[in-house]
Amino acid sequence: MAGHGGPVLLILALMSIAALTIVLAKLWQFSWLRLNAREPIESALSSWYKNDPDAALATIGSSRQPSARLVALAIRGLQHASAQSAAGLELLREELTRVATAQLEQLRGWLRALEVIATLSPLLGLLGTVLGMIEAFRQLATAGSQVDPALLSGGIWQALLTTAAGLSVAIPAVLLHSWLERRVERCAQRMEDAVTRVFTRPLSSPMHEAARPVPLPTTVAHGEATIEQARRFASSQA
């Protein structure tokens, strides 16, 4: 089939191999980082809510997960005295943003190349079809009055072969790129949620009981009673 399709079909074959390699590499990377694991983060945040940062850091340990590493960095940063001021908290947030951006950039690595393959594959297939049709009609013009229908039909199906190959590479590449990109987006959302929960620990702790109504001072209550008696006396005189 590569021989019938010409050099365009060979290029599409190489692009399909590259796309498959990228997908397998990203699947291995996501599995190694355990992007879907949520138990370590939830356990660490539970210990953090109980005002036990050491247990929270021990739970996360040396986890490779981006969210866990970011939570550990946030907890260690909040333990320093320099982070207790407004300027210290601002510097800590900037550092967390820098680390999160770097981790997401690693997760998105080679996804751009997969997107380019998905975009160029149908265009290359169409180019191969156009070149094949040009060659078929050139041979038809060379034959003159002795036209062989088999020659024309053979040239057409060879030309359309590149379009089918381009679509065969582009369709799965688009689907896999969207799926991998969505996994990275979910990871970014979990990172933001986990770090926000680290900073909002007082709001996540159990609420205190509602305060009881404060009784009025005796002098205030006596004054209100005196005023009420005066009003009744004025009404009776009237």
Side-chain angles (χ1 to χ4, degrees):
M1 293 179 65
H4 289 297
V8 175
L9 200 57
L10 291 175
I11 295 175
L12 289 173
L14 295 177
M15 293 176 66
S16 66
I17 295 174
L20 181 60
T21 304
I22 293 173
V23 171
L24 293 178
K26 299 307 294 184
L27 290 178
W28 177 85
Q29 180 188 19
F30 292 170
S31 177
W32 185 71
L33 293 175
R34 300 182 60 195
L35 289 187
N36 295 329
R38 308 182 70 174
E39 181 62 27
I41 299 176
E42 295 297 331
S43 300
L45 290 176
S46 179
S47 300
W48 175 249
Y49 293 157
K50 297 176 183 178
N51 199 18
D52 192 357
D54 295 333
L57 293 175
T59 302
I60 297 175
S62 58
S63 177
R64 298 182 294 264
Q65 190 179 25
S67 301
R69 294 173 60 183
L70 207 62
V71 168
L73 179 60
I75 293 176
R76 292 191 185 98
L78 290 176
Q79 285 183 297
H80 290 289
S82 59
Q84 303 305 321
S85 61
L89 288 176
E90 186 64 26
L91 289 176
L92 178 59
R93 290 191 179 95
E94 291 182 1
E95 177 64 14
L96 291 172
T97 301
R98 184 192 67 82
V99 174
T101 302
Q103 291 182 347
L104 291 176
E105 188 65 24
Q106 292 179 356
L107 294 177
R108 291 193 177 98
W110 293 103
L111 289 183
R112 183 63 178 175
L114 184 61
E115 183 181 4
V116 170
I117 291 175
T119 304
L120 290 182
S121 295
L123 297 179
L124 285 174
L126 182 60
L127 175 63
T129 298
V130 172
L131 294 177
M133 295 293 291
I134 292 175
E135 180 63 21
F137 282 107
R138 187 188 66 82
Q139 294 180 2
L140 185 63
T142 304
S145 59
Q146 298 178 354
V147 178
D148 187 5
L151 179 64
L152 181 60
S153 60
I156 292 176
W157 82 262
Q158 290 179 6
L160 294 177
L161 184 61
T162 58
T163 299
L167 294 176
S168 299
V169 175
I171 292 174
V174 169
L175 293 176
L176 291 171
H177 175 267
S178 300
W179 178 60
L180 295 173
E181 186 70 26
R182 179 55 185 164
R183 293 193 64 179
V184 175
E185 291 177 358
R186 284 202 302 264
C187 180
Q189 294 173 357
R190 291 174 183 172
M191 292 168 63
E192 182 179 0
D193 177 74
V195 173
T196 303
R197 291 166 66 184
V198 171
F199 280 91
T200 58
R201 180 178 60 178
L203 299 178
S204 302
S205 60
M207 300 299 293
H208 296 284
E209 295 182 357
R212 297 180 180 178
V214 180
L216 293 174
T218 306
T219 54
V220 177
H222 180 70
E224 291 181 353
T226 304
I227 295 173
E228 184 65 24
Q229 291 177 359
R231 288 177 179 174
R232 291 180 181 178
F233 178 76
S235 299
S236 61
Q237 293 296 326

